Amino acid sequence: MAIPTRRPSLFLAAALALALLSACSGPREYFSVIPDRDGKTGQMVVTPRQGNALALDRTNASATVRGGEISPAKLSEAELKEMYKEALAAQPMAPARFLLYFVEGGDILTAESQRELENVLAEIKKRPAPDLIVVGHTDRVGSVADNDRLALRRAEKVRSQLVAQGFSPEGISASGRGEREPLVATADEVAEARNRRVEILVR
Amino acid sequence: MKFTWLGFLSCCAVFGLVCSCPVVAQVAAASAAGQTAPAWVAQVKVSRGIVRIERGGQRFPSPVGARLKVEDTVITEANGSVGLMFADNSTLSMGPGGEVFLHTFSYDPTTYMGAFDAFVKQGTVSLQAGNLAQGAPDSVKIRTPQAEVKGNARQFLVSVEEKK
């Protein structure tokens, strides 16, 4: 009776050795979460080919995957900075953000915002390969659908003003967010000058 | 029981269709409304050393200002690094000896809905989340030879050792 009991354990040992071998060979992958410019991390879930997913949600939380199997990893901020030195150094500059405001109900910029366009042009000149995103917003006066159209019209207007200043049209995208993203929360149908705006991102 | 299960399944299918249709309609409506979104999805903002874009079997150099499309592969040589900025303000930057395939990128700037899916074949990659991750966290996905990453992390790092 001793032999049949030993055999399965031998098989088990062999299988275990094989599994260990496959887990310890082959290329390694690393995954880490680091905070953004505002110090926020959020969560990322790493799902390996085999086994359970691992959620990483603290600053510098890391995991490694090898042979399709995942395990937590301990990497310090200094180690991550060294490991990803070139990739981190190649991150594009953060977009510069400008807000321009409109006279109620239409696509005419306020006088002050018309002057602010000069600063936008100055920022464009600072960047090696600038592209612009112009996003129009409205206050909550009028229907959602009308405000989607007005928001887009505002963005298009600013876009055409920048094109008139000589900026390449294919480098500017214009879109509208309607009344979805007010700067100042209000009840519906409330006129609010600070929400009648376009946001320009110079990237 | 059998009948109920079938009923349940077909309900799921119908529900799935109903749920997916508005998204398609929304994207179509956004482009029909004359939204002036360019055809490209990302632009090279930083390029050091030798960096290439592989598109339709051909390789192109990738200087600062070059634009990328879906299904492009970005390759950095041993002295290369590159930084891309996507339409939703997310960024992806790569260190040397890297290869990343841009599998999917769709983005509706009105609703922030869409999908980002890139395959990191090898190299070191840093990803900064943009508006897509805000719209729906599971819309951003990074795949590697051995794993898949999803979530609303603001900034994450992925490194894939070269296969020997």
Side-chain angles (χ1 to χ4, degrees):
Chain A
M1 283 310 279
I3 293 162
T5 47
R6 191 174 284 168
R7 263 196 191 142
S9 67
L10 258 175
F11 273 122
L12 205 71
L16 204 71
L18 254 174
L20 273 172
L21 206 68
S22 71
C24 296
S25 62
R28 218 181 247 283
E29 299 181 359
Y30 292 93
F31 304 88
S32 308
V33 172
I34 58 174
D36 68 3
R37 291 181 182 98
D38 305 323
K40 290 190 199 119
T41 51
Q43 185 188 64
M44 91 186 209
V45 178
V46 186
T47 311
R49 261 200 335 246
Q50 295 162 24
N52 295 327
L54 204 65
L56 307 175
D57 56 8
R58 279 165 300 109
T59 294
N60 305 335
S62 303
T64 180
V65 176
R66 199 177 200 188
E69 286 177 20
I70 196 164
S71 50
K74 228 182 164 105
L75 290 165
S76 68
E77 189 182 333
E79 283 168 316
L80 288 174
K81 276 195 171 142
E82 178 58 29
M83 214 173 140
Y84 293 94
K85 194 169 51 189
E86 296 94 342
L88 290 170
Q91 279 183 349
M93 266 171 94
R97 193 177 298 259
F98 296 88
L99 288 174
L100 305 184
Y101 297 92
F102 291 83
V103 175
E104 190 173 357
D107 61 3
I108 308 295
L109 284 173
T110 63
E112 195 184 334
S113 288
Q114 187 63 44
R115 287 192 294 275
E116 175 77 354
L117 267 183
E118 292 303 315
N119 296 333
V120 175
L121 292 166
E123 181 66 37
I124 289 172
K125 289 198 183 99
K126 280 189 207 160
R127 294 178 182 244
D131 77 295
L132 271 65
I133 291 186
V134 183
V135 185
H137 300 270
T138 67
D139 61 21
R140 299 190 64 191
V141 176
S143 72
V144 168
D146 281 346
N147 281 333
D148 277 355
R149 276 188 289 272
L150 177 59
L152 181 62
R153 210 171 89 212
R154 285 176 173 163
E156 294 279 11
K157 180 71 178 290
V158 170
R159 178 176 188 267
S160 61
Q161 278 184 282
L162 289 162
V163 170
Q165 300 265 8
F167 196 81
S168 147
E170 68 158 355
I172 313 182
S173 80
S175 61
R177 289 267 289 159
E179 56 173 69
R180 283 175 192 74
E181 202 178 315
L183 268 191
V184 180
T186 69
D188 202 11
E189 297 304 325
V190 171
E192 171 54 64
R194 285 168 293 178
N195 291 336
R196 295 192 291 270
R197 69 201 196 275
V198 294
E199 181 185 65
I200 300 180
L201 289 182
V202 181
R203 314 193 308 164
Chain B
M1 271 313 270
K2 200 177 179 185
F3 177 74
T4 1
W5 271 111
L6 266 176
F8 175 71
L9 280 176
S10 56
C11 269
C12 284
V14 169
F15 182 70
L17 269 174
V18 168
C19 281
S20 57
C21 279
V23 174
V24 174
Q26 222 160 33
V27 171
S31 36
Q35 169 203 316
T36 46
W40 46 273
V41 299
Q43 191 179 32
V44 176
K45 297 293 186 187
V46 177
S47 180
R48 297 182 181 128
I50 299 175
V51 182
R52 289 185 239 271
I53 300 168
E54 201 173 272
R55 181 179 297 157
Q58 280 186 295
R59 282 189 175 194
F60 303 93
S62 165
V64 168
R67 282 162 182 168
L68 290 147
K69 292 178 178 172
V70 167
E71 297 199 344
D72 282 352
T73 300
V74 185
I75 298 161
T76 52
E77 298 294 335
N79 66 350
S81 60
V82 69
L84 314 174
M85 184 166 271
F86 285 81
D88 75 320
N89 299 324
S90 55
T91 76
L92 186 153
S93 59
M94 298 162 61
E99 183 170 337
V100 173
F101 175 66
L102 304 177
H103 184 275
T104 308
F105 186 90
S106 63
Y107 170 59
D108 181 336
T110 304
T111 59
Y112 290 175
M113 299 306 274
F116 180 103
D117 181 353
F119 176 70
V120 179
K121 191 180 169 197
Q122 63 180 60
T124 53
V125 170
S126 133
L127 195 98
Q128 295 174 294
N131 295 338
L132 278 176
Q134 217 175 303
D138 275 356
S139 58
V140 178
K141 185 159 84 179
I142 295 284
R143 284 173 300 138
T144 65
Q146 300 184 59
E148 189 182 292
V149 179
K150 273 184 180 178
N152 65 356
R154 299 306 302 156
Q155 187 168 184
F156 54 94
L157 304 171
V158 175
S159 167
V160 177
E161 280 180 355
E162 192 179 346
K163 202 172 179 178
K164 284 176 189 113

